[in-house]
Amino acid sequence: KGRSMKRPYRFIVFRTSDAGWTWHLKAPNGRIIATPNDRYATSSHAKRSARDVMLALQVRDVVCP
């Protein structure tokens, strides 16, 4: 009690107004920090895209030229 648990980063997949699917990545503070450029035909395609980004974030170094 008294300890605040830090909320994790979350990928949220949802239907768009044009009947497509997309996702965004929310930071623990509630801000959206990433969205794809594409819309997806199905929720499974959107989930696959989010999963690909999640995996890339876990294994890649950030490189700035």
Side-chain angles (χ1 to χ4, degrees):
K1 216 173 175 181
R3 292 173 114 189
S4 65
M5 293 193 55
K6 187 176 180 181
R7 294 186 323 175
Y9 288 83
R10 295 179 6 171
F11 280 94
I12 301 168
V13 175
F14 58 94
R15 192 178 269 292
T16 64
S17 60
D18 62 359
W21 290 86
T22 192
W23 57 263
H24 56 234
L25 175 59
K26 272 194 170 183
N29 65 4
R31 289 192 174 163
I32 296 171
I33 59 172
T35 59
N37 289 330
D38 298 324
R39 295 290 184 257
Y40 303 95
T42 66
S43 65
S44 62
H45 288 141
K47 288 175 188 175
R48 185 180 313 140
S49 171
R51 187 171 40 249
D52 289 347
V53 172
M54 179 180 64
L55 293 172
L57 289 171
Q58 292 176 3
V59 298
R60 306 273 187 217
D61 290 331
V62 176
V63 177
C64 299

